Amino acid sequence: MSQKILVVEDEVDVRELVVLHLKRLGHAVTAVGSVEEARGAMAAARFDLAIVDWMLPGASGVDFIRETRRSRDRGELAILMLTAMSEPKDIVEGLDAGADDYLSKPFDAGVLVARVRALSRRISGTQDTAAPSMEVVKLGQLHLYPETYEVKCCGEPISLTPSEFKLLIALSKSQGRVLTRDSLISQIQGEGVSVVGRTVDTHVFGLRKKLGDCADVIETVRGVGYRVKPDLEA
Ligand code: CA
């Protein structure tokens, strides 16, 4: 059965490898590079399984697991730690924090796939089988599907680059609030493209162009940055 999986990993190579294997298994995968982004993804969508690295920029994977376990409505999320921290005491700490399983790096792809299968079996066994509805972020006529990286304007699909999609998600998460260039940079960094200073303007320009009729969802706040309009007609 296909699961919705969140991958929290800051090393791009590892992240891409994990995503590749999960997608081959037919899972819907959302991949992020920090706990901050993971919180955003969790706020926007429901996941069955999270694969979490320990050492991340900012808050650690273990912090993320503890906070996830504290929030009652996330109880059913299965968590697999995937980390270079492989001392017995680390494994104990990871499991005690709330991870269901633990895999040390460097890892064998076959073992990763088997662990995910095992966790998936358990999830499928405990869940009702009704098709879960896909999460949608609605910004007026602009609809974002964070799980599948799809965007539609007035029902028409729009093809965005990963950086543009992350930019749009970052702005939509803070709808109404102005995001500075620096905060946008930190949120879209990690796609193999390093974004600096005015490059954000280029991305926003490209994004707006692609959004067509929905372009006015994003407002420029002169001298500060950008925001998604606070009140949008559905
Ligand atoms: Ca790491």
Side-chain angles (χ1 to χ4, degrees), residues 5 22 25 27 49 51 80 112-120:
I5 304 181
L22 295 176
L25 291 175
H27 297 303
L49 169 66
I51 297 179
L80 169 64
L112 172 71
V113 166
R115 296 276 175 98
V116 169
R117 250 199 322 262
L119 284 168
S120 300

Side-chain angles (χ1 to χ4, degrees), residues 22-83:
L22 295 176
K23 285 196 168 161
R24 274 194 196 144
L25 291 175
H27 297 303
V29 188
T30 300
V32 297
S34 70
V35 168
E36 199 190 348
E37 291 175 290
R39 286 177 189 138
M42 297 268 290
R46 196 189 58 80
F47 294 95
D48 302 305
L49 169 66
I51 297 179
V52 183
D53 183 20
W54 187 312
M55 303 294 283
L56 293 161
S60 78
V62 170
D63 293 337
F64 175 69
I65 292 171
R66 286 206 184 93
E67 114 188 3
T68 302
R69 289 306 185 215
R70 270 199 301 271
S71 129
R72 251 176 280 157
D73 55 341
R74 303 290 184 199
E76 76 281 76
L77 179 77
I79 300 176
L80 169 64
M81 280 219 92
L82 180 61
T83 167

